[in-house]
Amino acid sequence: MKPGALHIVRRVGRIWAGFRKNRGPHEVWSDWKAADEAGDAGSAAAFASELLQLTPKSYFSWFQAGLLSKAFGNWPESSARNVQALELFTPKDADEFNGANPAAWNLGIASTALGDWATARQAWVAYGLERFGGEAGPIDVDCGMAPVRLNPDRPSLPHQVLYAAGTTEVVWCWRRSPAHAVIASVPLPESGHRFRDTVLHDGEPKDTRRLDEQEVSVFDELGRLEESGVPTWQAQVIGASADDIQALSDLLEQRGLGLDEWSGIRLMCSKCSYGEPENGHNHIPATSDAKRLGLAGHESDLGEAMETWLASRHGIDVHSLDLLW
């Protein structure tokens, strides 16, 4: 350096770029965790890149970096990082995770988000889910019913960017793969979702709901893959019994339409929704003689179905049928 010249060292996050050559992986990982605790997403991203440069052959580094990309919702980067982790997975790593490869699961989520079905199939097989391999094209397997929390209000990972199209609501879905599902309920308009929207969801259970006398895990939404565009309606029905409503639901289901009894919806706070109720705390649904129904379908299809339903029943009054959105 010439006499009088200035030596400029640019700071990146919490570290000096000029000192990187003297830093070891454990120091970088320690700074990364400190950035997590401080909520400093920018520094965490910088430390992740630095750790990958220092340990390019480490499964742990690629898996953790892929997890951070997942939290950001950066699906191309998450996919690429988890592909590297998958290639570096060793028997020693398998022992640590009880034989399962969590990078394979996160790769399945990322590739599903990207519509990269070939990679998604490879990921699920790598995780041990053989039923999703051996075919080509989009995955569309009947994986049963599952509740999904739309617009979750709690992060699962440090720096997670939560998907938010509206208010939080738990709805029932037809699960079509380990990472995506089609909404079978009629969500409230405030949720910003519709009947038959396709959503991406996480794999970590967050509380449970009951289905046919069994506890079923709730999964948090990570994003919306497809919008159905199916209109949402509200009907006020007086004089209908539970059997009458079930008959209408069956009739609509046969025609590919949706129904939910919104008058029975329990509005819960976040703690109760996640299975953490406080002592003496409860949410009791309001009661009313009128049934408030959420309906999904196009007007002509719904009108015809309602007429068919009412033709064989007496004493039922459809007080209103309003298009909500």
Side-chain angles (χ1 to χ4, degrees):
M1 182 183 300
K2 294 181 180 180
L6 293 176
H7 178 60
I8 299 175
V9 180
R10 180 170 58 88
R11 186 167 182 173
V12 179
R14 288 160 31 90
I15 58 175
W16 296 99
F19 294 165
R20 281 189 172 182
K21 292 183 179 180
N22 299 323
R23 289 164 55 77
H26 291 292
E27 186 179 0
V28 175
W29 175 244
S30 178
D31 282 342
W32 181 353
K33 297 306 292 179
D36 286 351
E37 293 178 5
D40 187 347
S43 291
F47 295 139
S49 296
E50 185 179 0
L51 190 63
L52 292 178
Q53 293 175 7
L54 290 172
T55 58
K57 299 298 183 181
S58 165
Y59 166 82
F60 175 84
S61 297
W62 285 103
F63 167 64
Q64 290 295 336
L67 202 60
L68 181 62
S69 301
K70 173 188 174 184
F72 291 156
N74 187 337
W75 301 119
E77 185 177 76
S78 181
S79 177
R81 287 175 168 179
N82 281 298
V83 165
Q84 291 293 324
L86 207 62
E87 293 177 355
L88 296 170
F89 195 63
T90 66
K92 182 180 178 181
D93 297 318
D95 290 340
E96 182 177 349
F97 292 103
N98 297 319
N101 186 345
W105 190 280
N106 288 334
L107 176 59
I109 291 175
S111 51
T112 298
L114 296 170
D116 182 358
W117 297 109
T119 302
R121 290 181 183 278
Q122 294 169 7
W124 300 132
V125 171
Y127 193 79
L129 304 175
E130 301 288 343
R131 64 184 295 201
F132 298 103
E135 296 182 8
I139 300 176
D140 187 21
V141 177
D142 183 1
C143 301
M145 298 289 291
V148 173
R149 181 176 288 103
L150 307 178
N151 311 309
D153 57 351
R154 289 191 187 185
S156 299
L157 298 168
H159 318 297
Q160 184 173 3
V161 179
L162 295 173
Y163 180 78
T167 58
T168 304
E169 182 179 349
V170 176
V171 298
W172 286 97
C173 298
W174 296 293
R175 206 173 179 197
R176 309 313 297 172
S177 84
H180 82 289
V182 177
I183 297 177
S185 301
V186 182
L188 294 168
E190 293 83 355
S191 73
H193 290 71
R194 300 177 190 265
F195 175 68
R196 290 194 176 276
D197 278 359
T198 302
V199 297
L200 182 74
H201 65 77
D202 211 347
E204 181 183 358
K206 294 295 182 68
D207 198 26
T208 62
R209 297 292 187 271
R210 292 191 69 80
L211 176 66
D212 297 332
E213 304 305 319
Q214 292 185 337
E215 295 293 328
V216 184
S217 296
V218 180
F219 301 104
D220 280 355
E221 179 186 20
L222 294 173
R224 179 163 39 198
L225 300 178
E226 295 180 13
E227 294 188 44
S228 71
V230 177
T232 301
W233 302 73
Q234 177 178 273
Q236 295 285 345
V237 178
I238 299 174
S241 66
D243 289 341
D244 291 328
I245 299 301
Q246 184 59 55
L248 176 59
S249 178
D250 294 341
L251 181 62
L252 294 175
E253 183 179 355
Q254 294 168 10
R255 303 180 181 210
L257 308 174
L259 179 149
D260 257 332
E261 188 174 345
W262 286 349
S263 52
I265 288 179
R266 296 181 67 202
L267 301 178
M268 295 188 288
C269 65
S270 180
K271 284 190 175 182
C272 287
S273 178
Y274 282 91
E276 303 169 2
E278 297 177 349
N279 291 335
H281 188 59
N282 194 15
H283 295 275
I284 302 174
T287 59
S288 173
D289 293 335
K291 303 287 187 183
R292 181 185 176 217
L293 306 181
L295 304 174
H298 294 284
E299 184 173 11
S300 59
D301 298 328
L302 281 175
E304 181 183 348
M306 294 289 282
E307 288 180 6
T308 301
W309 176 63
L310 291 171
S312 58
R313 285 168 171 78
H314 302 286
I316 298 177
D317 177 28
V318 179
H319 184 67
S320 62
L321 179 61
D322 302 311
L323 176 64
L324 299 183
W325 79 304

